[in-house]
């Protein structure tokens, strides 16, 4: 799944489609899923948890995150 911060909330249970673009992707990786939870953020945005219907393959995850700076 994925956690997103959006300007507006989506209803829990809503079906969504996510396109993941990354430096290693020739084409975006597209997954469908369902909004599992939604919480308001302090700045008025909304933090959402989305469960994908199909897992990302390890290679797809690496391609989406290649050459991104590390968090820390």
């Amino acid at each position: 799944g994925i956690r997103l911060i959006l300007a507006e909330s989506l209803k829990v249970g809503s079906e969504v489609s996510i396109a993941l673009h990354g430096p290693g992707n020739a084409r975006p990786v597209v997954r469908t899923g369902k909004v599992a939870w939604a919480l308001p953020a302090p700045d008025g945005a909304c933090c959402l948890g989305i469960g994908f219907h199909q897992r990302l393959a390890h290679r797809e995850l690496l391609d989406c995150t290649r050459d991104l700076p590390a968090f820390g």
Side-chain angles (χ1 to χ4, degrees), residues 3-12 35 37-50:
R3 183 175 76 172
L4 302 172
I5 297 177
L6 301 178
E8 297 179 20
S9 182
L10 297 175
K11 188 174 180 178
V12 171
V35 177
W37 53 268
L39 297 172
D43 63 358
C46 185
C47 187
L48 299 171
I50 299 183

Side-chain angles (χ1 to χ4, degrees), residues 18-39:
I18 306 282
L20 302 170
H21 302 265
N25 295 70
R27 299 182 316 196
V29 176
V30 178
R31 288 292 182 272
T32 58
K34 190 177 282 193
V35 177
W37 53 268
L39 297 172

